[in-house]
Short mmCIF file of all heavy atoms in Angstrom, two decimals:
data_model
loop_
_atom_site.label_atom_id
_atom_site.label_comp_id
_atom_site.label_asym_id
_atom_site.label_seq_id
_atom_site.Cartn_x
_atom_site.Cartn_y
_atom_site.Cartn_z
N PHE A 98 -6.20 6.92 11.63
CA PHE A 98 -6.17 6.07 10.44
C PHE A 98 -7.06 4.84 10.65
O PHE A 98 -7.72 4.39 9.72
CB PHE A 98 -4.75 5.65 10.11
CG PHE A 98 -3.85 6.81 9.81
CD1 PHE A 98 -2.96 7.29 10.75
CD2 PHE A 98 -3.91 7.44 8.58
CE1 PHE A 98 -2.14 8.37 10.47
CE2 PHE A 98 -3.09 8.52 8.29
CZ PHE A 98 -2.21 8.98 9.25
N ILE A 99 -7.05 4.32 11.86
CA ILE A 99 -7.89 3.15 12.17
C ILE A 99 -9.37 3.52 12.01
O ILE A 99 -10.13 2.78 11.39
CB ILE A 99 -7.59 2.62 13.58
CG1 ILE A 99 -6.17 2.06 13.62
CG2 ILE A 99 -8.61 1.57 14.00
CD1 ILE A 99 -5.65 1.78 15.02
N TYR A 100 -9.77 4.66 12.56
CA TYR A 100 -11.16 5.09 12.43
C TYR A 100 -11.52 5.29 10.96
O TYR A 100 -12.60 4.90 10.52
CB TYR A 100 -11.42 6.39 13.21
CG TYR A 100 -11.34 6.21 14.70
CD1 TYR A 100 -10.78 7.21 15.49
CD2 TYR A 100 -11.81 5.07 15.34
CE1 TYR A 100 -10.70 7.07 16.87
CE2 TYR A 100 -11.72 4.92 16.70
CZ TYR A 100 -11.17 5.92 17.46
OH TYR A 100 -11.10 5.78 18.81
N TYR A 101 -10.62 5.90 10.22
CA TYR A 101 -10.86 6.12 8.78
C TYR A 101 -11.08 4.79 8.07
O TYR A 101 -12.00 4.64 7.27
CB TYR A 101 -9.68 6.89 8.17
CG TYR A 101 -9.61 6.79 6.67
CD1 TYR A 101 -10.48 7.51 5.86
CD2 TYR A 101 -8.67 5.96 6.06
CE1 TYR A 101 -10.42 7.41 4.49
CE2 TYR A 101 -8.61 5.86 4.68
CZ TYR A 101 -9.48 6.59 3.91
OH TYR A 101 -9.42 6.48 2.55
N ARG A 102 -10.23 3.81 8.35
CA ARG A 102 -10.35 2.51 7.68
C ARG A 102 -11.62 1.78 8.09
O ARG A 102 -12.24 1.09 7.29
CB ARG A 102 -9.12 1.64 7.95
CG ARG A 102 -7.80 2.22 7.44
CD ARG A 102 -7.83 2.60 6.00
NE ARG A 102 -8.02 1.45 5.14
CZ ARG A 102 -8.14 1.50 3.84
NH1 ARG A 102 -8.09 2.66 3.22
NH2 ARG A 102 -8.33 0.43 3.13
N ILE A 103 -12.04 1.92 9.35
CA ILE A 103 -13.28 1.28 9.79
C ILE A 103 -14.47 1.89 9.05
O ILE A 103 -15.35 1.18 8.57
CB ILE A 103 -13.45 1.40 11.32
CG1 ILE A 103 -12.43 0.49 12.01
CG2 ILE A 103 -14.87 1.05 11.75
CD1 ILE A 103 -12.34 0.69 13.51
N VAL A 104 -14.48 3.21 8.93
CA VAL A 104 -15.56 3.88 8.19
C VAL A 104 -15.53 3.44 6.74
O VAL A 104 -16.58 3.14 6.15
CB VAL A 104 -15.45 5.42 8.33
CG1 VAL A 104 -16.37 6.12 7.35
CG2 VAL A 104 -15.74 5.84 9.76
N PHE A 105 -14.34 3.37 6.14
CA PHE A 105 -14.23 2.95 4.74
C PHE A 105 -14.73 1.52 4.57
O PHE A 105 -15.46 1.21 3.64
CB PHE A 105 -12.78 3.07 4.27
CG PHE A 105 -12.59 2.67 2.85
CD1 PHE A 105 -12.93 3.52 1.81
CD2 PHE A 105 -12.06 1.42 2.53
CE1 PHE A 105 -12.77 3.14 0.49
CE2 PHE A 105 -11.90 1.03 1.21
CZ PHE A 105 -12.25 1.90 0.20
N TRP A 106 -14.34 0.64 5.50
CA TRP A 106 -14.79 -0.75 5.43
C TRP A 106 -16.31 -0.81 5.52
O TRP A 106 -16.97 -1.51 4.75
CB TRP A 106 -14.16 -1.57 6.55
CG TRP A 106 -14.81 -2.93 6.64
CD1 TRP A 106 -14.52 -4.02 5.87
CD2 TRP A 106 -15.88 -3.31 7.49
NE1 TRP A 106 -15.36 -5.06 6.21
CE2 TRP A 106 -16.19 -4.65 7.21
CE3 TRP A 106 -16.61 -2.66 8.47
CZ2 TRP A 106 -17.20 -5.33 7.87
CZ3 TRP A 106 -17.61 -3.35 9.14
CH2 TRP A 106 -17.90 -4.66 8.84
N HIS A 107 -16.87 -0.08 6.47
CA HIS A 107 -18.32 -0.09 6.66
C HIS A 107 -19.03 0.39 5.40
O HIS A 107 -20.01 -0.22 4.95
CB HIS A 107 -18.70 0.79 7.86
CG HIS A 107 -20.17 0.83 8.10
ND1 HIS A 107 -20.98 1.81 7.58
CD2 HIS A 107 -20.97 0.00 8.81
CE1 HIS A 107 -22.22 1.58 7.95
NE2 HIS A 107 -22.24 0.49 8.71
N ASN A 108 -18.54 1.48 4.84
CA ASN A 108 -19.17 2.01 3.61
C ASN A 108 -19.03 1.02 2.45
O ASN A 108 -19.95 0.86 1.66
CB ASN A 108 -18.57 3.36 3.23
CG ASN A 108 -18.98 4.45 4.19
OD1 ASN A 108 -19.95 4.30 4.95
ND2 ASN A 108 -18.25 5.54 4.19
N SER A 109 -17.90 0.36 2.34
CA SER A 109 -17.70 -0.63 1.28
C SER A 109 -18.64 -1.82 1.47
O SER A 109 -19.26 -2.29 0.53
CB SER A 109 -16.26 -1.14 1.28
OG SER A 109 -15.38 -0.11 0.95
N ALA A 110 -18.73 -2.29 2.71
CA ALA A 110 -19.59 -3.44 3.00
C ALA A 110 -21.05 -3.11 2.76
O ALA A 110 -21.80 -3.92 2.21
CB ALA A 110 -19.36 -3.91 4.43
N CYS A 111 -21.47 -1.92 3.16
CA CYS A 111 -22.88 -1.53 3.00
C CYS A 111 -23.23 -1.21 1.56
O CYS A 111 -24.40 -1.27 1.18
CB CYS A 111 -23.20 -0.33 3.89
SG CYS A 111 -23.21 -0.76 5.64
N SER A 112 -22.25 -0.88 0.75
CA SER A 112 -22.54 -0.55 -0.65
C SER A 112 -22.60 -1.79 -1.52
O SER A 112 -22.82 -1.70 -2.72
CB SER A 112 -21.49 0.43 -1.20
OG SER A 112 -20.25 -0.24 -1.34
N GLY A 113 -22.39 -2.94 -0.92
CA GLY A 113 -22.49 -4.18 -1.68
C GLY A 113 -21.20 -4.57 -2.36
O GLY A 113 -21.22 -5.37 -3.28
N PHE A 114 -20.06 -4.02 -1.91
CA PHE A 114 -18.78 -4.40 -2.50
C PHE A 114 -18.54 -5.89 -2.27
O PHE A 114 -18.72 -6.40 -1.18
CB PHE A 114 -17.63 -3.60 -1.88
CG PHE A 114 -16.28 -4.09 -2.33
CD1 PHE A 114 -15.77 -3.70 -3.55
CD2 PHE A 114 -15.55 -4.98 -1.56
CE1 PHE A 114 -14.54 -4.16 -3.99
CE2 PHE A 114 -14.32 -5.45 -1.99
CZ PHE A 114 -13.82 -5.03 -3.20
#
Side-chain angles (χ1 to χ4, degrees):
F98 299 101
I99 293 168
Y100 292 143
Y101 162 76
R102 298 307 296 177
I103 289 171
V104 168
F105 181 78
W106 170 82
H107 180 267
N108 290 342
S109 295
C111 290
S112 70
F114 172 81

